[in-house]
Every structure is written in structure tokens, then in C-alpha cells.
Amino acid sequence: MVIKKYRNNNRSVNTNKNNKTFINMNRENNECYTRKIESDKLIKYLKTHKIISTKAKIWLPFNDFKSNIYLSLKEVGFNNLIATSGDFYNTKVKFDIIISNPPFSKRSKLFLRLMEINKPFILLQPIMFFNNGTCIKILTKNGAKFGALCPQGRMTFERNFGFLCPKNNMGFIVNGVEKEKTTSFYSFWLCFKTKITGFTDLE
């Protein structure tokens, strides 16, 4: 049996034979920032279907005031926003619901903390959520309280790599060459204690 050795296991970007840039998850580099087009879709759905009142106090624990989720909420009349972008586990604020795109690592710790808080949330999660034993136990125990908003295709993200510089909403410049960006995984908005139940198509 031949054992192959692989280098650079923690690279965040790999280029496939079709010359597309894929974002892959690893423990060291896993922050994928929500694009405006994606946050607009979510917030439009929430307002159109009256999932959240515009008077609700919304906490964005993993976002700052320049984040696209914050901007999308603000643009359609959600003004009671708290963007801390700090230590979620030690920060204490009064809020009605969490909406955010957290880092994709340390998922067990994140969701155990969310269950302790026991308040509504809408969080972006990759399909790898279902590979986490702790999360599956939480789902099965609280199944009726969960729902999911499911985009029709894979979401794309904004990244800040030293050699990977944003060009526009359609592509990146990598080492002087423009490349299409996409992801190697599916993502969805996981909802807890909201009006969203079951798996719902995100229009």
C-alpha cells in the first residue's frame, strides 16, 4: 500500500482544474464573510414574511458596523442593532434575537452557549454542521424549535487573504489573474425559536 504525503493541509484556498477558487474550512483560517447579495436575501425574507419586528433588539455578536448583515438590516428599517464583534462567550447584552455569521470552527462550544442563552437566533452554518455530534444531539432534543432557510445554490463569501484581493462581486484577483470564487460546501441559515420551521426555501 502506498501512503501519500500531502503538504499545506491548512491552505484556505485550493485551485481546481476548472480554475475556480474554492474556500475550504480548517481550524486555523475559517472566517467567511457574508456577501451583501446574500445578506440582502436573508433580511428581505425576514421582513417580507414578518419573521422579526423592526422594533426587535438584534444582537450581531460576530459582526461590526461595517458588516453586510448589519448594513442590510439597517437599510430596511431595523435600527435597534448591537454589533459587538468581540468575545461572544463573555459579552452580556440584552437582546431579542441573534442574527450573525459566526466562524465555522468550535461549533460545539458555540451551540452549547446558545442553548444556555436559550433565545431566538438565525445563524449561517455550513453543511458540516450535521457532522457535529453535539449539534445533532441539540437538534434531536429541540427539533420543534429549529428551522432552516435554505438558499437554492451554494453561497459565495468574501475573504481577506494576503495574496487574494477582492475585485468585485463576481471574482477575485489571485497573483494578478482574475478567478471566479465559489465554495466547496453548501450553507444555510439555521433558525431557533422563530416563526421559521422545517426546511424552507430562501427566495
Side-chain angles (χ1 to χ4, degrees):
M1 181 177 66
V2 178
I3 299 176
K4 296 182 178 180
K5 294 183 179 180
Y6 295 92
R7 297 180 180 177
N8 299 326
N9 290 340
N10 292 325
R11 288 180 61 193
S12 298
V13 176
N14 294 324
T15 304
N16 72 346
K17 62 182 180 181
N18 294 323
N19 211 31
K20 289 184 179 180
T21 301
F22 286 89
I23 298 173
N24 297 319
M25 295 295 94
N26 60 60
R27 294 178 184 272
E28 290 76 21
N29 196 342
N30 57 62
E31 293 190 11
C32 297
Y33 302 104
T34 313
R35 292 174 65 210
K36 187 66 162 54
I37 190 172
E38 303 291 358
S39 59
D40 282 348
K41 286 180 188 177
L42 171 67
I43 306 310
K44 179 182 177 181
Y45 183 94
L46 298 180
K47 186 170 184 180
T48 300
H49 294 271
K50 299 180 179 179
I51 305 299
I52 306 172
S53 167
T54 53
K55 297 180 181 180
K57 195 170 188 178
I58 303 173
W59 184 21
L60 296 85
F62 302 98
N63 302 86
D64 59 27
F65 299 106
K66 295 180 181 180
S67 75
N68 287 326
I69 296 177
Y70 181 93
L71 295 174
S72 294
L73 285 163
K74 197 79 173 174
E75 286 174 1
V76 296
F78 291 93
N79 295 312
N80 202 352
L81 306 176
I82 308 167
T84 53
S85 188
D87 185 357
F88 170 67
Y89 303 97
N90 294 313
T91 302
K92 294 183 179 180
V93 299
K94 291 183 179 180
F95 68 94
D96 298 313
I97 187 169
I98 290 174
I99 301 178
S100 199
N101 172 8
F104 289 163
S105 64
K106 300 180 180 179
R107 192 171 292 109
S108 296
K109 182 180 179 181
L110 170 65
F111 279 91
L112 287 172
R113 176 63 178 147
L114 288 167
M115 292 302 103
E116 286 180 4
I117 296 173
N118 196 31
K119 297 195 73 171
F121 64 75
I122 299 174
L123 294 180
L124 186 64
Q125 284 296 295
I127 195 68
M128 292 81 81
F129 171 88
F130 294 101
N131 288 336
N132 184 290
T134 299
C135 293
I136 294 301
K137 289 179 181 178
I138 290 172
L139 278 177
T140 54
K141 185 178 180 180
N142 304 276
K145 299 177 183 179
F146 278 96
L149 284 176
C150 303
Q152 296 180 355
R154 293 178 183 175
M155 294 175 63
T156 55
F157 296 90
E158 294 178 359
R159 298 296 304 266
N160 288 322
F161 304 111
F163 64 93
L164 185 61
C165 305
K167 181 177 184 295
N168 52 43
N169 284 337
M170 298 303 295
F172 279 108
I173 294 179
V174 182
N175 295 332
V177 179
E178 183 177 352
K179 296 185 178 181
E180 180 183 352
K181 67 181 184 325
T182 184
T183 56
S184 58
F185 54 88
Y186 180 82
S187 302
F188 63 98
W189 296 96
L190 183 67
C191 310
F192 178 71
K193 296 180 77 172
T194 71
K195 296 178 182 179
I196 300 167
T197 56
F199 291 86
T200 303
D201 195 24
L202 181 57
E203 304 163 359

